[in-house]
């Protein structure tokens, strides 16, 4: 017969709780950096869409200008040589 698996209990010691709290703070700081640029910009969803559409138009115009200037023959990458 197969052996029964026992669940391991994690004991929380005073220093273990400090480590857990420190890890939580680190995770929040990582998440906070990503989330702050989307919802905290003070724009309405419509303004955000307009901003994004304008950025896409500018990107397309820049790409077209690079293609007109000779660009790279492949056309698959957005990286340029510096």
């Amino acid at each position: 017969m197969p052996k029964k698996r026992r669940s391991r209990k994690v004991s929380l010691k005073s220093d273990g709780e400090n480590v857990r709290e420190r890890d939580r703070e680190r995770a929040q700081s990582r998440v906070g950096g990503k989330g702050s640029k989307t919802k905290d910009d003070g724009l309405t969803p419509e303004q955000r869409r307009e901003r994004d559409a304008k950025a896409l138009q500018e990107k397309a115009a820049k790409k077209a200008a690079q293609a007109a200037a000779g660009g790279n023959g492949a056309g698959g990458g957005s990286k340029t040589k510096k």
Side-chain angles (χ1 to χ4, degrees):
M1 292 196 106
K3 294 181 180 180
K4 291 184 180 179
R5 291 187 177 181
R6 292 185 182 181
S7 61
R8 295 183 182 180
K9 292 185 179 180
V10 178
S11 62
L12 295 177
K13 297 180 182 178
S14 61
D15 58 337
E17 290 176 8
N18 292 337
V19 171
R20 178 178 281 184
E21 186 63 31
R22 198 173 348 138
D23 289 344
R24 284 185 184 148
E25 289 174 5
R26 286 182 188 166
Q28 286 176 349
S29 68
R30 283 193 303 265
V31 172
K34 294 178 184 176
S36 64
K37 76 177 174 184
T38 56
K39 297 296 180 184
D40 294 341
D41 55 6
L43 299 175
T44 64
E46 185 177 351
Q47 290 171 328
R48 198 172 291 116
R49 281 191 292 272
E50 290 173 357
R51 178 196 62 195
D52 293 347
K54 182 179 177 185
L56 286 173
Q57 287 177 349
E58 290 173 356
K59 183 176 179 182
K62 184 177 178 183
K63 201 169 194 179
Q66 286 178 347
N72 59 5
S78 62
K79 296 181 180 176
T80 58
K81 293 181 181 178
K82 291 186 179 182

